[in-house]
Amino acid sequence: MNSRLGTTASSITRSALPTTVVWDPAMTAYNFGPGHPMAPQRLELTARLADSLGLFDHHHVAVEAPAVATDVELYTVHSREYVDAVRRVSADPTRPEESRGLGTEDDPAFAGMHEASARLAGGSLLAADTILTGRAVRAVNFSGGMHHAARERASGFCVYNDVAMAIQRLLDGGVQRIVSIDVDAHHGDGTQSIFWNDPRVMTISLHETGLTLFPGTGFANETGGPEALGTAVNVALPTFTGDAAWLRAFHAVVPQLVGAFEPEVIVSQHGCDSHRDDPLTHLNLSVDGQREAASAVGSLAARYCDNRWIATGGGGYDVTGVVPRAWSHLIGMVTQRPVPLSTAVPEAWRTYVKETYGVWAPEKMGDDVDVWWRSWEVGYDPADEVDRTVIATRKEIFPLYGLDPWFD
């Protein structure tokens, strides 16, 4: 019995784990304006597609609207001065505070910015609370995932770091070890920085190398602060990495470290901008590969955390073709009602997209690709750029947990 989390593995059945899906149309108020890549329509389209697929209809799934996070809740990971700055810019967007990242090209100021951002944060706090109270074992806030926001400033389309707030809420609720797994194409720098010196939190980020993509960080030698060495884990993948190589890297690093760290809860960020059609990045994944990644995270939660898992969204800028499918698959994995890749995208949803956005969405939930990957056990290839990336991370981190970087 894990009394801090209010439930036991034996008190639930694998076929019907209580699950919270965080959603409210008001979450689309997080809107940087026309032409900005972080289009709020991607949230509405995801909810509409997931609903069309019946993912909200299961008896063990509760769809809940979040509250706007209070200032006191925001102070758990952000400074009072920064929250005050967001409030000022929110009230008067004509007076940006670029030193705080507010009113920049990435994070344009808009009226109501504070409340809209705090609502996304409230969504991940709600997810954490459902885990702590035992009302749910799993939760998903696909509107969240704002992993670039740091303690003192906005960055990369992110104002308040809801991922970090969920982690801190779990810690404050008595959870002693948490692993954050971030599979966005961009390095999860804000979350890493907030927990840089906290030995209770391991942040693992697989992302496109900072040599070619914002924010320019996330290399293997970023391993955590002096009191938490080895709790920051980074796999900086070369450009154009595809499904097989990405999954090889994931399975060569993440399961081993999750097993060694023994977390009580996994909190994950599932930005789907690693897709080959994303306009801002240079990775080459498919929806099939992204679905496989979500499945792998869920399997780790089942194996090591009695299924306790909070998943968030994140980046993803192919608004009609990729994001709704990728995050509907994520919702399916979290709710343990996975959507087969061969499933036809509901025609009513495709018609809505055509009538609203003037484009036809894909006909199938998958991209019809082979996601087979080579296990690390088959051997290291020094001529392979992805393998060199993987071994760099393994050499930095594995010995700190008694693991062999070559063979474990």
Side-chain angles (χ1 to χ4, degrees):
M1 173 72 175
N2 191 331
S3 58
R4 289 189 301 275
L5 299 179
T7 188
T8 66
S10 61
S11 68
I12 54 179
T13 63
R14 185 171 177 79
S15 62
L17 296 174
T19 303
T20 298
V21 176
V22 178
W23 172 242
D24 187 322
M27 300 176 95
T28 61
Y30 192 80
N31 185 352
F32 290 113
H36 193 282
M38 187 72 92
Q41 293 85 352
R42 64 203 191 116
L43 305 180
E44 187 271 335
L45 287 173
T46 296
R48 184 181 288 266
L49 178 56
D51 191 27
S52 297
L53 292 165
L55 293 173
F56 299 160
D57 297 336
H58 302 293
H59 72 277
H60 65 289
V61 175
V63 180
E64 299 188 28
V68 174
T70 67
D71 286 4
V72 171
E73 290 171 328
L74 294 166
Y75 298 157
T76 61
V77 302
H78 296 291
S79 71
R80 181 184 297 268
E81 293 76 15
Y82 173 63
V83 175
D84 288 346
V86 177
R87 280 191 170 278
R88 288 193 296 270
V89 173
S90 180
D92 185 0
T94 66
R95 302 181 67 182
E97 299 195 20
E98 294 191 15
S99 64
R100 298 280 190 181
L102 302 168
T104 63
E105 182 179 0
D106 276 358
D107 297 89
F110 64 93
M113 172 185 270
H114 166 77
E115 182 173 318
S117 304
R119 182 176 281 108
L120 299 192
S124 291
L125 291 177
L126 170 61
D129 287 341
T130 64
I131 304 297
L132 286 169
T133 61
R135 286 196 294 120
V137 179
R138 292 181 165 194
V140 56
N141 176 21
F142 58 86
S143 303
M146 304 295 106
H147 63 163
H148 293 307
R151 190 175 301 278
E152 299 284 353
R153 73 186 313 271
S155 178
F157 314 162
C158 305
V159 178
Y160 293 136
N161 193 320
D162 63 287
V163 179
M165 289 180 67
I167 293 170
Q168 190 62 53
R169 179 76 119 221
L170 293 169
L171 294 173
D172 293 343
V175 178
Q176 296 180 358
R177 292 179 310 283
I178 299 167
V179 168
S180 168
I181 301 174
D182 188 320
V183 301
D184 194 289
H186 300 84
H187 176 224
D189 58 330
T191 308
Q192 174 181 283
S193 69
I194 288 169
F195 297 106
W196 181 251
N197 208 33
D198 191 329
R200 300 171 297 174
V201 181
M202 174 181 280
T203 60
I204 305 176
S205 179
L206 292 90
H207 48 267
E208 180 181 333
T209 173
L211 295 175
T212 57
L213 191 68
F214 174 89
T217 56
F219 297 97
N221 62 354
E222 297 172 34
T223 59
E227 296 179 19
L229 193 63
T231 61
V233 181
N234 290 289
V235 183
L237 295 163
T239 55
F240 309 117
T241 297
D243 292 313
W246 193 99
L247 289 165
R248 174 171 165 81
F250 180 98
H251 287 282
V253 173
V254 181
Q256 297 88 335
L257 292 176
V258 172
F261 197 72
E262 298 183 331
E264 297 175 51
V265 184
I266 288 174
V267 179
S268 56
Q269 197 268 21
H270 294 263
C272 55
D273 46 4
S274 58
H275 194 274
R276 63 196 182 199
D277 292 338
D278 194 272
L280 299 188
T281 67
H282 316 98
L283 296 179
N284 199 30
L285 270 65
S286 65
V287 165
D288 310 45
Q290 293 172 337
R291 177 185 185 274
E292 186 66 29
S295 176
V297 174
S299 294
L300 292 172
R303 181 174 182 181
Y304 295 108
C305 308
D306 288 335
N307 270 300
R308 297 178 182 96
W309 175 25
I310 296 172
T312 68
Y317 310 104
D318 186 325
V319 173
T320 59
V322 174
V323 178
R325 289 188 298 150
W327 287 349
S328 290
H329 281 302
L330 175 64
I331 294 166
M333 290 299 174
V334 176
T335 60
Q336 293 194 308
R337 293 296 184 266
V339 179
L341 290 163
S342 59
T343 301
V345 175
E347 196 60 32
W349 185 86
R350 295 186 71 240
T351 299
Y352 172 80
V353 172
K354 176 63 175 174
E355 292 176 348
T356 306
Y357 300 100
V359 297
W360 280 111
E363 295 181 358
K364 295 288 184 64
M365 285 297 293
D367 288 333
D368 195 24
V369 302
D370 183 359
V371 296
W372 179 87
W373 71 92
R374 294 184 304 122
S375 167
W376 189 257
E377 295 175 355
V378 305
Y380 164 66
D381 180 0
D384 185 278
E385 193 174 5
V386 171
D387 275 21
R388 294 198 299 271
T389 292
V390 169
I391 198 64
T393 301
R394 288 170 65 105
K395 282 182 174 181
E396 290 281 356
I397 303 294
F398 274 35
L400 300 174
Y401 293 93
L403 298 171
D404 188 312
W406 297 99
F407 300 110
D408 281 330

